[in-house]
Amino acid sequence: MRRIPLVMMLLLVALAVSGWDIDRKYDGPKSPETDTTWHPDILPGYEARYVNQAEAFDGPCRSTIVRLRAQRPSRRAYLYVHGFNDYFFQSEMGRRFVDSGYNFYAVDLRRYGRSKEPWQYPYNIRDIREYYADIDSALAQIRRDGNTDITLSGHSTGGLTVLSFAADKGADCGVDRVVTDSPFLEWNYNSFYRNVAVPVVQFLGKIFKNSKIKQSHCDGYAYSLLRQYHGQWEYNTDWKMIYSPPVTFSWVGAINAAQSRLMKRRKDIAVPILVMHSSRKIDGCGWTPEFQTGDAVLDPAMIQERGSLLGHERVVCAIDSGIHDLILSEPGPREAAYDTIFKFIGKR
């Protein structure tokens, strides 16, 4: 038993000091954006507004609501929450929902994309429940806009976030159903890392909150998305980086705690849920054609296993040959994902 702490400390030191880092030092004033009125978004046809979210552990923070309203009056709304190293850029997705009679909304969470302030380390959190205020602000706007039927959706860490939101709030979650796209329900590591290494990092994160752990310097997934390589999409690579930045110990602890709490409170989810995942796992670092046919980030089998335990009314399904972000897959699996979503949310 005495050998485990020593081994773990050596492992953590190696992870912490051998990683590459990004220079995000900021010495200027922490003056938040105060204009919270609607303005044209960076995506043509969309509009956006900031929401000031008061003081956080690293200073003032904000979230951003993005919307695209249906051409004909509708009381149905779909709210999308992005994943890690991400932001809302999927213009096609919003238009698909609008064309189907839904008012579409997305939120850029604090420290992501449109919402990131110069003094913030990207994507950092100390508790996933920090995001609940960002979601609640978006839901309040959706209700002010006259919507009465609301679907809350999330991809990857966004999927973990919206499921945690539904579990923690129970019957008071304020939405009619939850849709997830490859939700981050479990670490894609072996049992030693999941059961020993990650909990040790979580513990140390209470003391060394801003110590950082490198991410794999892999480009396979990004190359499967970006049009200039092998994908079909364009986005801001300063906001959705090709190489994920190091994560803080506190971020690891926040995700691990959220996963554990979700499984303990899984039966508190009071609304129907959809859990979608790819049909296969892809291993590797550099791009190969297989990256267009499966999930290169998470393990679909783990999503299937944990997703099947959630809530009281659920649909868990595999999208054949879908990639990690299913709605960014090749045309065939992408259409299958949309068909699955619309069938699920169209139920009365």
Side-chain angles (χ1 to χ4, degrees):
M1 294 298 292
R2 293 181 178 178
R3 296 180 61 186
I4 293 178
L6 176 59
V7 171
M8 289 311 305
M9 288 303 297
L10 292 173
L11 172 64
L12 291 170
V13 169
L15 286 170
V17 303
S18 63
W20 61 281
D21 207 338
I22 54 177
D23 183 9
R24 289 291 188 270
K25 292 182 180 179
Y26 178 81
D27 298 322
K30 295 183 178 182
S31 301
E33 171 66 54
T34 57
D35 182 5
T36 58
T37 58
W38 289 102
H39 56 268
D41 187 50
I42 56 175
L43 299 176
Y46 287 76
E47 56 184 343
R49 76 175 185 88
Y50 300 122
V51 179
N52 291 326
Q53 296 291 358
E55 194 80 9
F57 62 83
D58 53 356
C61 70
R62 66 184 180 187
S63 60
T64 309
I65 304 170
V66 183
R67 74 181 177 187
L68 183 67
R69 291 194 272 192
Q71 295 298 313
R72 296 181 179 180
S74 174
R75 292 186 177 275
R76 298 182 298 176
Y78 192 90
L79 172 61
Y80 173 75
V81 180
H82 59 77
F84 174 75
N85 185 24
D86 208 353
Y87 72 102
F88 173 64
F89 66 91
Q90 298 91 334
S91 178
E92 179 195 78
M93 176 170 62
R95 297 191 182 281
R96 292 288 293 263
F97 283 95
V98 164
D99 290 345
S100 297
Y102 292 82
N103 294 308
F104 180 83
Y105 298 78
V107 58
D108 272 13
L109 300 169
R110 57 190 67 192
R111 306 182 190 90
Y112 283 84
R114 300 164 179 82
S115 303
K116 185 182 176 300
E117 300 281 18
W119 55 84
Q120 295 173 330
Y121 188 79
Y123 325 139
N124 194 23
I125 51 167
R126 293 181 178 172
D127 190 315
I128 203 169
R129 289 170 290 193
E130 295 172 37
Y131 294 144
Y132 291 2
D134 304 355
I135 295 173
D136 278 330
S137 297
L139 290 175
Q141 179 66 59
I142 289 169
R143 296 187 194 100
R144 285 196 298 271
D145 288 347
N147 297 285
T148 56
D149 183 279
I150 303 172
T151 300
L152 176 61
S153 73
H155 163 61
S156 198
T157 54
L160 172 62
T161 300
V162 299
L163 288 167
S164 297
F165 180 90
D168 286 341
K169 300 209 172 210
D172 297 323
C173 66
V175 302
D176 296 277
R177 64 197 66 81
V178 173
V179 170
T180 61
D181 172 351
S182 305
F184 188 11
L185 303 181
E186 179 62 284
W187 300 93
N188 186 16
Y189 297 143
N190 62 37
S191 60
F192 173 78
Y193 274 85
R194 293 198 310 270
N195 299 321
V196 180
V198 171
V200 169
V201 174
Q202 180 178 356
F203 173 77
L204 291 176
K206 298 176 182 179
I207 306 169
F208 308 106
K209 294 179 172 64
N210 293 318
S211 295
K212 298 179 179 69
I213 301 174
K214 74 171 183 177
Q215 298 291 283
S216 298
H217 199 66
C218 295
D219 53 33
Y221 181 55
Y223 282 18
S224 74
L225 299 177
L226 286 163
R227 189 188 304 274
Q228 64 262 43
Y229 298 106
H230 307 282
Q232 303 171 49
W233 313 101
E234 296 178 355
Y235 51 81
N236 185 339
T237 54
D238 289 330
W239 289 356
K240 182 178 175 65
M241 304 176 198
I242 292 178
Y243 302 104
S244 295
V247 295
T248 62
F249 281 19
S250 62
W251 183 89
V252 173
I255 296 300
N256 200 54
Q259 292 172 342
S260 298
R261 189 173 63 252
L262 173 60
M263 298 315 295
K264 291 176 182 177
R265 304 199 62 176
R266 61 187 184 275
K267 295 303 181 182
D268 292 336
I269 300 175
V271 297
I273 57 176
L274 171 64
V275 178
M276 299 186 300
H277 58 79
S278 176
S279 59
R280 61 178 59 86
K281 175 183 176 182
I282 302 299
D283 293 315
C285 192
W287 184 88
T288 64
E290 286 69 32
F291 272 78
Q292 309 302 129
T293 67
D295 193 328
V297 179
L298 298 180
D299 185 345
M302 292 179 176
I303 300 174
Q304 172 73 32
E305 179 181 350
R306 288 205 162 192
S308 298
L309 301 174
L310 299 174
H312 301 277
E313 183 180 348
R314 78 193 73 82
V315 175
V316 183
C317 65
I319 302 299
D320 186 34
S321 300
I323 64 173
H324 177 57
D325 193 334
L326 295 166
I327 62 148
L328 300 181
S329 300
E330 296 295 303
R334 190 192 323 162
E335 290 304 314
Y338 278 124
D339 288 347
T340 302
I341 294 172
F342 284 118
K343 179 179 179 181
F344 179 78
I345 67 178
K347 293 179 179 179
R348 289 291 185 265

